[in-house]
Amino acid sequence: MSALIVAVHRSASHGFSKTTRGSVTLLEGLGVEGDAHCGVTVQHRSRVAADPSQPNLRQVHLIHEELFDALRESGYSVAPGDLGENITTRGIDLLSLPVGARLTLGTAVVTITGLRNPCQQINEFQPGLLKHVVRSEGEGRVVRLAGVMGIVSRGGRVAAGDPIDVQLPPEPHLPLTRV
Protein backbone atom coordinates (compact mmCIF):
# COMPACT_ATOMS: atom_id res chain seq x y z
CA MET A 1 0.00 0.00 0.00
CA SER A 2 1.31 3.43 -0.89
CA ALA A 3 1.52 6.24 1.63
CA LEU A 4 -1.31 8.72 1.28
CA ILE A 5 -3.15 11.56 2.93
CA VAL A 6 -6.38 10.38 4.57
CA ALA A 7 -7.70 13.80 5.62
CA VAL A 8 -6.64 17.42 6.15
CA HIS A 9 -7.72 19.79 8.92
CA ARG A 10 -7.41 23.34 10.19
CA SER A 11 -8.89 25.58 12.84
CA ALA A 12 -8.64 29.34 13.19
CA SER A 13 -8.94 29.08 16.98
CA HIS A 14 -6.69 27.50 19.59
CA GLY A 15 -9.06 24.63 20.40
CA PHE A 16 -8.02 21.01 20.68
CA SER A 17 -9.54 19.32 17.63
CA LYS A 18 -9.48 20.66 14.07
CA THR A 19 -12.20 20.68 11.40
CA THR A 20 -11.78 18.38 8.41
CA ARG A 21 -11.58 20.20 5.07
CA GLY A 22 -11.56 19.07 1.45
CA SER A 23 -8.12 20.63 1.07
CA VAL A 24 -5.78 23.03 2.84
CA THR A 25 -3.14 25.41 1.56
CA LEU A 26 0.33 25.24 3.08
CA LEU A 27 2.21 28.54 3.09
CA GLU A 28 6.00 28.36 2.81
CA GLY A 29 7.69 29.21 6.09
CA LEU A 30 4.35 29.72 7.87
CA GLY A 31 2.12 26.64 8.04
CA VAL A 32 -1.51 25.93 7.20
CA GLU A 33 -3.36 28.96 5.86
CA GLY A 34 -6.16 29.93 8.24
CA ASP A 35 -4.88 27.73 11.09
CA ALA A 36 -4.22 29.15 14.57
CA HIS A 37 -0.68 27.70 14.52
CA CYS A 38 0.34 29.40 11.27
CA GLY A 39 3.27 31.80 11.69
CA VAL A 40 7.02 32.33 11.47
CA THR A 41 7.37 32.32 15.27
CA VAL A 42 5.78 29.90 17.75
CA GLN A 43 2.01 29.96 17.89
CA HIS A 44 1.34 27.23 20.48
CA ARG A 45 0.13 29.04 23.60
CA SER A 46 2.57 27.37 26.02
CA ARG A 47 5.51 28.15 23.74
CA VAL A 48 4.40 31.77 23.23
CA ALA A 49 4.21 32.20 27.02
CA ALA A 50 7.77 30.87 27.40
CA ASP A 51 9.37 32.84 24.53
CA PRO A 52 7.28 34.33 21.69
CA SER A 53 10.39 34.94 19.55
CA GLN A 54 11.18 31.21 19.08
CA PRO A 55 11.04 29.97 15.49
CA ASN A 56 7.90 27.97 14.69
CA LEU A 57 9.12 24.40 14.21
CA ARG A 58 5.53 23.19 14.67
CA GLN A 59 3.86 24.73 11.61
CA VAL A 60 2.25 21.46 10.50
CA HIS A 61 1.18 18.50 12.66
CA LEU A 62 0.90 15.07 11.03
CA ILE A 63 -0.55 11.92 12.63
CA HIS A 64 -0.64 8.41 11.20
CA GLU A 65 -4.17 6.99 11.04
CA GLU A 66 -2.78 3.66 12.26
CA LEU A 67 -2.56 5.29 15.73
CA PHE A 68 -6.36 5.65 15.72
CA ASP A 69 -6.66 1.94 14.90
CA ALA A 70 -4.52 1.07 17.94
CA LEU A 71 -6.46 3.47 20.17
CA ARG A 72 -9.75 1.84 19.10
CA GLU A 73 -8.34 -1.51 20.24
CA SER A 74 -7.84 0.11 23.66
CA GLY A 75 -11.45 1.32 23.76
CA TYR A 76 -11.06 4.90 22.53
CA SER A 77 -12.94 6.55 19.69
CA VAL A 78 -10.63 8.92 17.82
CA ALA A 79 -11.20 10.19 14.30
CA PRO A 80 -9.01 12.22 11.94
CA GLY A 81 -8.65 15.80 13.21
CA ASP A 82 -9.69 14.91 16.77
CA LEU A 83 -6.13 15.14 18.16
CA GLY A 84 -5.49 18.50 16.53
CA GLU A 85 -3.43 17.34 13.57
CA ASN A 86 -3.42 19.17 10.25
CA ILE A 87 -2.73 16.09 8.14
CA THR A 88 -3.78 12.49 8.78
CA THR A 89 -1.70 9.90 6.90
CA ARG A 90 -1.82 6.17 6.22
CA GLY A 91 0.91 3.80 5.07
CA ILE A 92 3.91 5.76 6.32
CA ASP A 93 5.80 5.25 9.59
CA LEU A 94 6.02 8.92 10.53
CA LEU A 95 7.62 8.21 13.91
CA SER A 96 10.64 6.46 12.37
CA LEU A 97 11.51 9.31 10.00
CA PRO A 98 14.72 11.22 10.76
CA VAL A 99 14.95 14.94 11.41
CA GLY A 100 15.00 16.73 8.06
CA ALA A 101 12.99 14.14 6.12
CA ARG A 102 11.05 15.93 3.37
CA LEU A 103 7.50 14.85 2.61
CA THR A 104 5.94 15.85 -0.68
CA LEU A 105 2.23 16.20 0.03
CA GLY A 106 0.12 17.26 -2.94
CA THR A 107 2.04 20.22 -4.37
CA ALA A 108 3.63 21.15 -1.03
CA VAL A 109 6.74 19.98 0.83
CA VAL A 110 6.96 19.64 4.61
CA THR A 111 10.30 19.11 6.36
CA ILE A 112 10.00 17.08 9.55
CA THR A 113 11.40 18.82 12.64
CA GLY A 114 10.47 16.47 15.49
CA LEU A 115 7.86 14.69 17.56
CA ARG A 116 4.70 16.17 18.95
CA ASN A 117 4.89 16.39 22.72
CA PRO A 118 1.34 15.58 23.83
CA CYS A 119 -0.08 17.39 26.84
CA GLN A 120 -2.83 17.06 29.43
CA GLN A 121 -5.44 18.39 26.96
CA ILE A 122 -5.58 14.88 25.50
CA ASN A 123 -7.02 13.60 28.80
CA GLU A 124 -9.59 16.40 28.71
CA PHE A 125 -10.60 15.16 25.25
CA GLN A 126 -10.92 11.54 26.48
CA PRO A 127 -9.90 10.58 30.03
CA GLY A 128 -6.84 8.30 30.19
CA LEU A 129 -5.87 8.81 26.54
CA LEU A 130 -2.54 10.51 27.33
CA LYS A 131 -0.96 7.30 28.67
CA HIS A 132 -1.69 5.67 25.28
CA VAL A 133 0.09 8.35 23.24
CA VAL A 134 3.07 9.01 25.51
CA ARG A 135 4.65 6.44 27.81
CA SER A 136 7.88 5.58 29.54
CA GLU A 137 9.98 2.59 28.61
CA GLY A 138 13.07 1.14 30.25
CA GLU A 139 15.73 3.47 31.62
CA GLY A 140 13.35 6.46 31.63
CA ARG A 141 13.05 6.60 27.85
CA VAL A 142 9.88 8.49 26.84
CA VAL A 143 8.03 7.26 23.74
CA ARG A 144 5.81 9.81 22.00
CA LEU A 145 3.23 8.40 19.58
CA ALA A 146 1.06 11.46 18.83
CA GLY A 147 2.60 12.31 15.47
CA VAL A 148 5.28 14.54 14.06
CA MET A 149 5.73 18.24 13.48
CA GLY A 150 7.21 20.02 10.49
CA ILE A 151 7.78 23.26 8.66
CA VAL A 152 6.52 24.15 5.21
CA SER A 153 9.50 24.17 2.83
CA ARG A 154 7.38 24.64 -0.30
CA GLY A 155 3.84 25.93 -0.23
CA GLY A 156 0.97 24.34 -2.09
CA ARG A 157 -2.42 22.66 -1.91
CA VAL A 158 -2.87 19.40 0.02
CA ALA A 159 -5.97 17.20 -0.10
CA ALA A 160 -7.26 13.82 1.05
CA GLY A 161 -6.15 11.11 -1.37
CA ASP A 162 -2.88 12.83 -2.31
CA PRO A 163 0.13 10.49 -2.30
CA ILE A 164 3.05 11.06 0.06
CA ASP A 165 6.61 10.90 -1.23
CA VAL A 166 9.48 10.72 1.26
CA GLN A 167 12.97 12.07 0.67
CA LEU A 168 15.45 11.28 3.43
CA PRO A 169 18.19 13.77 4.34
CA PRO A 170 21.87 12.92 3.91
CA GLU A 171 23.30 10.60 6.55
CA PRO A 172 23.91 10.48 9.41
CA HIS A 173 20.17 10.43 10.18
CA LEU A 174 19.20 12.03 13.48
CA PRO A 175 16.28 10.48 15.35
CA LEU A 176 13.25 12.63 16.09
CA THR A 177 12.97 14.24 19.49
CA ARG A 178 10.19 16.44 20.87
CA VAL A 179 9.83 19.94 19.48
Side-chain angles (χ1 to χ4, degrees):
M1 173 169 138
S2 299
L4 60 92
I5 296 171
V6 173
V8 294
H9 326 275
R10 69 177 169 86
S11 176
S13 64
H14 281 280
F16 184 71
S17 298
K18 295 188 185 285
T19 304
T20 300
R21 310 290 178 160
S23 67
V24 294
T25 300
L26 302 187
L27 303 173
E28 187 172 331
L30 296 171
V32 179
E33 182 177 49
D35 191 80
H37 299 105
C38 186
V40 173
T41 56
V42 293
Q43 300 297 310
H44 288 75
R45 289 181 288 191
S46 62
R47 305 284 170 116
V48 170
D51 179 1
S53 68
Q54 295 175 69
N56 188 1
L57 301 178
R58 301 163 54 101
Q59 295 173 359
V60 181
H61 176 199
L62 300 94
I63 286 185
H64 49 295
E65 189 180 43
E66 293 85 351
L67 174 63
F68 304 150
D69 298 339
L71 292 173
R72 271 191 288 285
E73 291 176 12
S74 296
Y76 293 92
S77 176
V78 181
D82 281 354
L83 297 184
E85 78 275 14
N86 299 111
I87 299 172
T88 310
T89 67
R90 181 163 281 283
I92 180 172
D93 186 358
L94 294 171
L95 303 177
S96 72
L97 293 172
V99 171
R102 292 171 56 94
L103 305 181
T104 300
L105 312 162
T107 59
V109 174
V110 170
T111 302
I112 302 303
T113 55
L115 297 168
R116 176 186 183 193
N117 189 35
C119 66
Q120 184 60 33
Q121 282 184 309
I122 289 178
N123 279 340
E124 294 167 12
F125 172 69
Q126 288 187 34
L129 188 58
L130 183 60
K131 69 181 178 188
H132 293 276
V133 296
V134 63
R135 62 177 179 253
S136 295
E137 290 190 344
E139 299 179 19
R141 183 172 165 260
V142 177
V143 177
R144 292 171 178 82
L145 305 173
V148 299
M149 308 303 287
I151 58 170
V152 181
S153 298
R154 183 177 72 217
R157 183 181 167 278
V158 179
D162 285 346
I164 301 170
D165 181 62
V166 179
Q167 181 182 3
L168 297 177
E171 292 195 17
H173 291 163
L174 301 175
L176 297 176
T177 59
R178 72 180 180 96
V179 292

